Each structure stands twice: as structure tokens, then as C-alpha cells.
Amino acid sequence: MKVFSKISELQHYVLEQKFLRKSIGFVPTMGALHSGHSELLKRAREQSDVVVCSIFVNPAQFNNQEDLTNYPRTAERDIELLKSVGCDALFMPHADEVYRESTLLKFNFGELESVMEGVHRPGHFNGVALIVSKLFHLVNPDFAYFGQKDLQQLTIIKQLVKDLSFPVQIVSVPTVREESGLAKSSRNERLSEDGKNVAAQINKRLKELENQILEGSDFDECRPESIDFLNGKGIEVEYLELVDSETMKAVPNKLNGKSVALCIAAIVEGVRLIDNRIF
Ligand SMILES: Nc1ncnc2c1ncn2[C@@H]1O[C@H](COP(=O)(O)OP(=O)(O)OP(=O)(O)O)[C@@H](O)[C@H]1O
Ligand SMILES: CC(C)(CO)[C@@H](O)C(=O)[O-]
Ligand code: BAL
């Protein structure tokens, strides 16, 4: 596997692959790779001639300095995982290489970012859109893979691709979970074993809530009980929403027959986790 830290090296590699008419599958990440990332990489491996991964803990998308400082970094282990799934090239730049000069570029995703992560992490999606745009320009992928765990991010990236006419197909990959139901996440590394058991209650409760809604209950009626339940388990709920899974607009129930998503952000042992169930 090739490892590049410089933009010029990456561009040279990509040009070579394009000249050879190879299709490129791209998996952008922030590292601390786990089996959720492996799933994205496996999909890329099946679908494309060449698999490119990036690892970059993007300062521009962090609204909380402590979260950025404590973000897990496991480069050596990540490289082993990437080799094991047959990744061809890794782009792992330093922040100075990516952000040589400060940028004033601002994105506006309107209603898509006026809820949930957009509200609770001010500036987050601007930072995500900035780095994903830069990476798409550099890697020029035919396919790019994103996880449904970050559902609102996925929706925003689909919009970004439309708005800027990136010639890339976005592939969304279902959330990979621990046996306990806990969504795999790099930030889980910061949880104790007890914390992981507590955090597993998040998905368990979402599943119960999903059943209640499927049986015809209104979300607003069930929400307080779910929040109380999770609070009682030592989980601090930042938000819990039922939204249209494409527009991210809040919906009261599933009576319209459209695909909806229960989305949550919650804090366990000081670690902020997100999860969702689409149904
Ligand atoms: N459990 C998972 N299942 C499927 N895809 C996932 C999972 N976790 C992360 N991904 C996807 O992997 C890509 C890179 O995500 P990232 O590197 O931020 O990892 P992460 O586990 O989401 O970390 P964290 O949520 O702690 O920031 C994103 O597209 C993300 O949606
Ligand atoms: C898409 C991404 C790699 C951009 O930094 C990040 O937001 C993530 O890991 O989901
Ligand atoms: N996986 C989403 C990236 C972030 O939390 O910043």
C-alpha cells in the first residue's frame, strides 16, 4: 500500500490511475479505524479498480477543542487494517498541508443543517463540506463511501455533490454494530467497558421507540419517556428526533409511509456519541 502525506504525491498517483483508466473508490475517514470503516473499504474493494482511503482528523469540523484533542489516533494499527482489506493508497496529510492558508469559504445547506448536528455543532458541516470538497478534487473518485451512522452528514454530502456537480457516486453503507447493538465508532475507544455497556442502551431504546412508532404512536408522546429512561441509565441525551430520512425535517410519526429516522446524540462518560435507526 502506498502512503502519501503530500498533496502533490497523491495527485501524481491519481493522475497515473486515471491515465490507466482505473476506477477509483474513495473512503474518507478520521482514522482510529474499526469494522465500520472496514465495511466501507470492502464495498470500495468490490466496486472499484483502485481503493484510496484518507485519514485526517479535520480541525475545521470540530466545534469543541477538547473533542479534537482527545480524538483517538491509532495510525500504525490503521495501516495494518488498511493493508488487510486490500487498500491501495492512503492519504494521511498534516493539517498544514491541507490548510496552507486560512479559508473564508462558507457553505449553506439551509434546512438540512438547521437541525440536530447542525445546531449542536456550530460550523461542523461547513468544516465537513470544506474537507470533503478538497478531497474530492484531489482524489477525483468514481465512487465515495459514507456510513449511515452519520446520516445527516450523508445527506449533506449528497447535496454537496449535486450543488458542485462532482462526478462521483455516493454509496451509503448501513451502520455496523457491536453484538450489544452499540454503533461502532472511533470515539467508543474513549469509553470504559462499563461505559460501553451503558452506551449499548442507546440503540436498545431506539429499537423500542421504533416499535412504538411502527405501532402507530406519536413520537412527541413517547419522547419524554425515552429521554427519562436513558437519563436514568446515566446517558445524557443532547437531542432525540424523528425526521424524514431524506430531508432531515422533523415528522410526528410514520403515517405518511415515508422512510423516517430516529436520530440521537448522547453523552456517556463525557464522550459524545451519535446513532440512528432508519425505518
Ligand atoms: N459503525 C459504522 N458503520 C458504518 N459506517 C461507519 C460507522 N462508523 C463510522 N462510519 C463511517 O466511516 C466514515 C468515517 O467516519 P469517522 O472516521 O468519523 O469514524 P467514526 O467511527 O464515525 O468516528 P466518530 O463518530 O467517533 O467520529 C464515515 O462515513 C462514517 O459514517
Ligand atoms: C467525512 C469525514 C472524513 C470528513 O472529515 C468525517 O466527517 C467522517 O469521518 O465522517
Ligand atoms: N464521524 C463524524 C465526524 C465527526 O464527528 O466530526
Side-chain angles (χ1 to χ4, degrees):
M1 182 178 71
K2 310 233 181 258
V3 181
F4 307 120
S5 59
K6 298 280 173 226
I7 287 176
S8 57
E9 297 166 344
L10 173 70
Q11 281 177 314
H12 184 258
Y13 176 79
V14 167
L15 273 177
E16 241 172 30
Q17 304 310 315
K18 291 279 166 187
F19 180 74
L20 296 169
R21 303 225 174 281
K22 305 275 190 198
S23 62
I24 298 181
F26 178 45
V27 181
T29 80
M30 301 207 303
L33 302 182
H34 49 67
S35 52
H37 298 112
S38 305
E39 204 50 42
L40 272 60
L41 289 153
K42 283 182 199 154
R43 293 287 297 275
R45 185 66 287 164
E46 284 161 15
Q47 224 170 357
S48 321
D49 298 324
V50 170
V51 177
V52 178
C53 176
S54 64
I55 294 183
F56 180 59
V57 184
N58 173 33
Q61 71 186 71
F62 282 81
N63 58 310
N64 177 330
Q65 185 57 42
E66 201 189 323
D67 191 23
L68 174 60
T69 310
N70 292 329
Y71 199 84
R73 289 163 172 88
T74 59
E76 280 176 27
R77 210 182 70 195
D78 291 351
I79 289 175
E80 289 315 308
L81 182 145
L82 289 171
K83 284 183 183 164
S84 76
V85 294
C87 180
D88 296 295
L90 167 63
F91 181 49
M92 199 164 51
H94 191 267
D96 298 342
E97 177 72 5
V98 177
Y99 296 114
R100 285 204 187 143
E101 289 161 28
S102 66
T103 174
L104 298 175
L105 196 56
K106 287 278 174 282
F107 294 81
N108 182 349
F109 294 101
E111 290 194 348
L112 283 183
E113 62 176 337
S114 68
V115 289
M116 303 190 294
E117 297 298 284
V119 175
H120 290 270
R121 297 186 67 186
H124 170 62
F125 286 125
N126 201 69
V128 169
L130 188 58
I131 191 65
V132 171
S133 302
K134 276 175 184 274
L135 290 168
F136 280 179
H137 278 301
L138 297 173
V139 177
N140 197 357
D142 298 277
F143 304 98
Y145 300 81
F146 292 88
Q148 285 174 359
K149 178 176 73 70
D150 299 273
L151 182 65
Q152 196 175 6
Q153 166 173 285
L154 179 61
T155 313
I156 281 185
I157 284 164
K158 284 182 181 161
Q159 190 60 45
L160 177 75
V161 164
K162 277 191 211 155
D163 285 354
L164 295 180
S165 305
F166 282 113
V168 59
Q169 189 179 317
I170 300 300
V171 182
S172 82
V173 179
T175 303
V176 176
R177 300 181 179 280
E178 305 275 1
E179 235 171 78
S180 66
L182 173 64
K184 295 263 185 180
S185 169
S186 305
R187 289 183 178 90
N188 291 354
E189 300 223 1
R190 297 182 49 212
L191 297 174
S192 69
E193 281 312 306
D194 269 359
K196 283 185 190 156
N197 289 334
V198 170
Q201 294 293 328
I202 296 173
N203 181 252
K204 201 163 167 252
R205 191 65 199 184
L206 287 190
K207 228 184 212 171
E208 285 163 10
L209 197 45
E210 173 183 331
N211 285 337
Q212 286 175 297
I213 292 165
L214 284 173
E215 281 161 13
S217 301
D218 265 354
F219 173 61
D220 276 348
E221 281 166 23
C222 317
R223 173 164 43 187
E225 192 194 329
S226 295
I227 293 178
D228 285 349
F229 173 85
L230 291 170
N231 285 344
K233 299 280 176 194
I235 300 168
E236 184 192 331
V237 178
E238 203 173 81
Y239 64 75
L240 174 60
E241 302 287 349
L242 180 71
V243 297
D244 179 309
S245 62
E246 279 175 17
T247 63
M248 300 292 113
K249 277 196 189 140
V251 291
N253 49 45
K254 199 185 152 57
L255 293 181
N256 59 13
K258 277 194 167 178
S259 167
V260 296
L262 272 169
C263 299
I264 190 166
I267 297 163
V268 178
E269 293 184 332
V271 181
R272 184 178 184 279
L273 304 170
I274 61 171
D275 197 359
N276 64 72
R277 292 189 66 85
I278 305 169
F279 57 100

